[in-house]
Amino acid sequence: MGTASPRSHPRPRLLPGPSRRALMRRTSRRGQVPARRCGCVPCRAVPCRAVPCRAMLPLQPWVRLARAVPLPSSCSRGYSREAGRKGLLLGAYASEQEGGAAQLSAAGDAFDSRVSGRLRELLAACGPPLKKGKARVFHGLHQDFPSVVVVGLGKKNAGVNDQENWNEGKENIRAAVAAGCRQIQDLEIPCVEVDPCGDAQAAAEGAVLGLHEYNELKQKKKPLVTPQLHGSAGSEAWQKGVIYAEGQNLARYLMEAPANYITPIKFAEYIEQKLANFASNVKVHIRPESWIAAQQMGAFLSVAKGSAEPPIFLEIHYSGGVNPNDSPLVFVGKGVTFDSGGISLKPSSGMDAMRADMGGAATICSAIVTAAALNLPLNIIGLAPLCENMPSGKANKPGDVVTAKNGKTIQVDNTDAEGRLLLADALCYAHNFNARAIVNAATLTGAMDVALGSAATGVFTNSSWLWNHLYEASIVTGDRVWRMPLFEHYTKQVTDCALADLSNIGKYSRAGGACTAAAFLKEFVTAPHWAHLDIAGVMANKDEVPYLRKGMAGRPTRTLVEFAARLSQDSHNPK
């Protein structure tokens, strides 16, 4: 083995006493475990005696076991308190040859040189090649970083996968960095420097998304870990990734919080607070029930009247464009802060998850907060009708007929199909702004979850131009979208109604439920560029997305932000 470079830590002078070889012979004759060395600073100078260091692989000198265990007290000497509080995360690519050794990233190569090649030796000695998305922990390699995590990045130069419809290289980085940061968190190390792994934005997203967990109401919380960029290259991209990820985490926070903590008014006030730092180009209007009634939003009010919580119409104006009079991008989000189903009551099992039925409002509002933080050069308007859907003596009854803002009447055949009633009035109001495009998001139908599961958000749109922008944005973020049909076939199923212009459910009930819901919304849209995003399938994460913990997912916030960023660079405005 080579000696450590002077820049890391000098090799300590051997203490007086018998030679290492003589000591090993002596201990072997006595029936003890031969003296061996681990990778820590003191043990590299003096062999561990009597009780071998627990960090070693048996009969493997210089090798520390690659597992997440704290340093034993016998090997903790020589480190300052400050040095013991920082971890390092490095990337390694899969070998191009089957079963070959992993290839370290540029940052990994540089660190390996600082420790005289011991990192590669550890990787080679610790079993089979590191798999994609997996992590290994090494201790005692360097005094500045007592714990080093190496993560598997998969194939080098992996780009866009046309079968998967995402950038595979970026997804690999996000998943690997998230896994490594969680290992650091398990070690209760409060700070970790993260290798950019060739894409600092993706690395930042993986770190910030992977560490997020809603524990606001727990007394026992996981240790807070602050990820930082390792080195100076890519600092701007890293910061952009942090902002993107924090935007999605904001949506996750709002969706995960209990319904008694995030009521309509509390939701609106929380978003207003988040936008307070951007007051120079952001205006927030929290519209009360009297304003909603004056706007003749009868469909929205019919849902809200069943709850004791008053409804709120949240309106956000972000003026980032050069000309504040330029046509804005208008986001509309369904904001049912708790959905019991109303008189058409949902089953009790799993009903608690309906605290996230305001996921559409959470994602579009979080996207605007992120756009403001990025100072995107375009105008955006966000509209979020907020209320609860509860059963009571005042609630909608199956068969009731209500009137929307545009004058169309709606027969409420199922009170649990309430989200489209809110969106109907909000979409009508969105046409007041001469929008460049209107994009609404809603956890609208269980049928969308049946159709696509959590793989992608379903997109229904009347504009190929708009679809292309959304699709290209989703490839970059890895939060995918998939185009769904908006056929006249489905429109006929909602317009064939006994008592009113429209029914709020399809003629054939569950058949094509996501498509009939989109066809219903289309009846309230005259804009040439409109897209409806049904996000019911991506509302929560179990284990499908490796860089998100179990819970509410906040998807597709980053795709909406990337879409807005791309739209701000597109001077073409199709008619």
Side-chain angles (χ1 to χ4, degrees):
M1 297 295 172
T3 58
S5 66
R7 287 176 296 175
S8 55
H9 40 257
R11 190 181 184 91
R13 181 172 58 85
L14 288 172
L15 297 179
S19 69
R20 178 175 179 273
R21 182 175 300 173
L23 181 63
M24 292 184 74
R25 282 199 302 269
R26 186 184 307 171
T27 54
S28 296
R29 285 196 299 269
R30 294 174 182 169
Q32 298 173 353
V33 180
R36 305 185 298 277
R37 297 178 182 178
C38 69
C40 67
V41 171
C43 289
R44 285 203 307 277
V46 181
C48 297
R49 300 166 184 161
V51 181
C53 177
R54 289 184 293 139
M56 295 179 297
L57 285 170
L59 303 179
Q60 288 267 1
W62 298 74
V63 178
R64 288 220 42 172
L65 183 62
R67 63 182 180 181
V69 294
L71 280 167
S73 58
S74 63
C75 293
S76 62
R77 302 184 302 273
Y79 295 105
S80 68
R81 178 181 296 272
E82 190 65 28
R85 307 297 289 169
K86 182 177 285 190
L88 176 63
L89 186 151
L90 299 170
Y93 299 102
S95 174
E96 296 179 0
Q97 298 178 351
E98 187 68 26
Q103 301 175 12
L104 292 172
S105 65
D109 272 332
F111 181 78
D112 187 55
S113 297
R114 291 173 66 186
V115 296
S116 303
R118 292 197 304 280
L119 180 58
R120 290 184 189 278
E121 292 175 11
L122 286 168
L123 281 172
C126 291
L130 191 60
K131 293 183 179 180
K132 179 177 68 176
K134 300 299 181 181
R136 287 180 184 159
V137 185
F138 305 99
H139 304 288
L141 277 170
H142 195 281
Q143 61 186 6
D144 292 342
F145 304 105
S147 296
V148 177
V149 182
V150 181
V151 296
L153 299 174
K155 294 180 180 179
K156 193 173 185 179
N157 300 321
V160 174
N161 187 322
D162 292 329
Q163 294 296 317
E164 292 293 330
N165 290 346
W166 62 19
N167 188 308
E168 188 172 347
K170 290 178 181 289
E171 279 296 285
N172 290 348
I173 292 169
R174 293 183 187 107
V177 169
C181 286
R182 289 170 187 163
Q183 290 272 22
I184 293 292
Q185 188 174 47
D186 290 343
L187 292 171
E188 300 186 1
I189 297 173
C191 181
V192 58
E193 289 193 11
V194 179
D195 176 358
C197 302
D199 190 325
Q201 181 177 344
E205 289 174 3
V208 176
L209 290 170
L211 288 169
H212 174 84
E213 185 174 37
Y214 185 87
N215 57 10
E216 298 294 311
L217 306 177
K218 292 183 178 180
Q219 289 185 336
K220 187 176 181 180
K221 305 177 190 291
K222 286 190 176 180
L224 182 66
V225 178
T226 303
Q228 299 174 351
L229 178 64
H230 180 61
S232 57
S235 58
E236 187 175 336
W238 171 271
Q239 188 57 36
K240 182 179 178 182
V242 169
I243 294 172
Y244 269 59
E246 287 178 343
Q248 183 168 344
N249 286 348
L250 171 58
R252 294 165 79 184
Y253 174 90
L254 290 167
M255 294 170 69
E256 196 70 76
N260 61 326
Y261 280 74
I262 301 293
T263 61
I265 185 62
K266 289 178 181 177
F267 181 104
E269 290 174 346
Y270 192 81
I271 293 297
E272 184 179 36
Q273 176 188 341
K274 286 293 181 181
L275 288 167
N277 292 333
F278 314 105
S280 60
N281 56 358
V282 173
K283 293 182 180 178
V284 179
H285 304 282
I286 300 177
R287 311 289 195 185
E289 186 172 3
S290 57
W291 181 92
I292 299 168
Q295 290 292 318
Q296 298 182 321
M297 296 183 177
F300 175 23
L301 285 174
S302 75
V303 177
K305 68 183 181 181
S307 172
E309 290 287 345
I312 293 291
F313 193 93
L314 178 61
E315 183 175 334
I316 305 167
H317 291 249
Y318 165 68
S319 302
V322 176
N323 185 350
N325 296 320
D326 286 345
S327 295
L329 166 63
V330 178
F331 283 140
V332 181
K334 170 188 169 184
V336 178
T337 57
F338 187 77
D339 181 16
S340 69
I343 297 297
S344 306
L345 197 67
K346 292 178 181 291
S348 60
S349 177
M351 191 193 289
D352 65 295
M354 290 299 98
R355 66 187 183 276
D357 206 31
M358 30 61 78
T363 54
I364 68 107
C365 290
S366 298
I368 296 174
V369 172
T370 307
L374 293 167
N375 198 27
L376 292 185
L378 82 164
N379 299 328
I380 306 176
I381 292 175
L383 308 174
L386 299 158
C387 71
E388 293 180 338
N389 183 26
M390 298 291 286
S392 74
K394 296 181 178 181
N396 271 339
K397 302 173 291 295
D400 283 0
V401 175
V402 300
T403 304
K405 180 175 172 60
N406 66 350
K408 289 188 177 182
T409 54
I410 304 166
Q411 183 173 328
V412 183
D413 286 324
N414 187 327
T415 66
D416 194 23
E418 84 298 334
R420 62 202 73 182
L421 301 181
L422 276 68
L423 291 174
D425 283 337
L427 287 169
C428 290
Y429 183 70
H431 286 73
N432 292 339
F433 302 105
N434 186 31
R436 187 178 180 188
I438 300 174
V439 177
N440 74 259
T443 51
L444 203 62
T445 64
M448 192 73 259
D449 187 21
V450 172
L452 296 181
S454 60
T457 293
V459 176
F460 302 81
T461 180
N462 59 2
S463 168
S464 293
W465 169 80
L466 190 52
W467 160 251
N468 288 334
H469 275 296
L470 284 165
Y471 175 69
E472 290 168 3
S474 74
I475 290 175
V476 173
T477 64
D479 200 347
R480 296 173 289 193
V481 296
W482 189 256
R483 192 168 187 176
M484 300 291 290
L486 200 59
F487 301 149
E488 187 68 21
H489 171 90
Y490 300 111
T491 302
K492 292 177 182 178
Q493 295 182 34
V494 295
T495 55
D496 186 359
C497 179
L499 302 178
D501 298 321
L502 300 165
S503 171
N504 76 326
I505 58 173
K507 181 179 179 181
Y508 304 116
S509 185
R510 295 178 61 85
C515 301
T516 54
F520 176 92
L521 295 180
K522 186 183 175 184
E523 293 298 299
F524 300 90
V525 174
T526 59
H529 304 292
W530 161 71
H532 157 55
L533 277 59
D534 194 333
I535 63 174
V538 302
M539 180 181 79
N541 190 66
K542 294 182 282 292
D543 56 11
E544 306 93 326
V545 182
Y547 49 87
L548 300 180
R549 282 192 164 112
K550 183 179 179 181
M552 300 307 168
R555 297 170 61 191
T557 302
R558 286 182 300 113
T559 295
L560 292 174
V561 175
E562 182 65 21
F563 161 72
R566 286 170 173 264
L567 203 63
S568 71
Q569 303 300 321
D570 183 3
S571 58
H572 179 58
N573 193 12
K575 300 300 182 185

